[in-house]
Amino acid sequence: MSFSDLVETIKSLSIEEKQEIQLLLSQYLREERREEIYENLKISQAEEQNGKLQFSNNINELKQLIED
């Protein structure tokens, strides 16, 4: 089924069905975002353990770290 077919199918649904789809999509998006955040956490933890992370409270040093 193509995306445009899907959109047309959704347009033909009742309001209640559309609301249910909206709730489901919101839930799926939250879950995917949580998974993305978790994956980024695991990557950051691995980088920290390998000594690849650098920390600073000096603004000029932070700017330099971003540029590198």
Side-chain angles (χ1 to χ4, degrees), residues 4-16:
S4 61
D5 291 338
L6 179 60
V7 170
E8 289 303 315
T9 301
I10 291 171
K11 285 170 66 175
S12 69
L13 297 174
S14 70
I15 290 175
E16 292 81 15

Side-chain angles (χ1 to χ4, degrees), residues 27-55:
Q27 179 181 344
Y28 297 155
L29 289 169
R30 272 193 311 273
E31 290 171 4
E32 286 183 24
R33 181 66 180 130
R34 283 185 189 128
E35 184 62 30
E36 180 182 356
I37 291 168
Y38 179 68
E39 291 299 321
N40 287 337
L41 170 66
K42 290 194 310 189
I43 291 168
S44 296
Q45 288 173 330
E47 288 177 349
E48 182 181 20
Q49 289 176 354
N50 293 329
K52 293 182 180 179
L53 293 182
Q54 296 178 346
F55 299 94

Side-chain angles (χ1 to χ4, degrees), residues 54 56 58-68:
Q54 296 178 346
S56 177
N58 179 313
I59 190 68
N60 293 324
E61 190 175 335
L62 289 171
K63 287 180 183 178
Q64 185 62 39
L65 289 171
I66 291 172
E67 292 174 3
D68 289 346

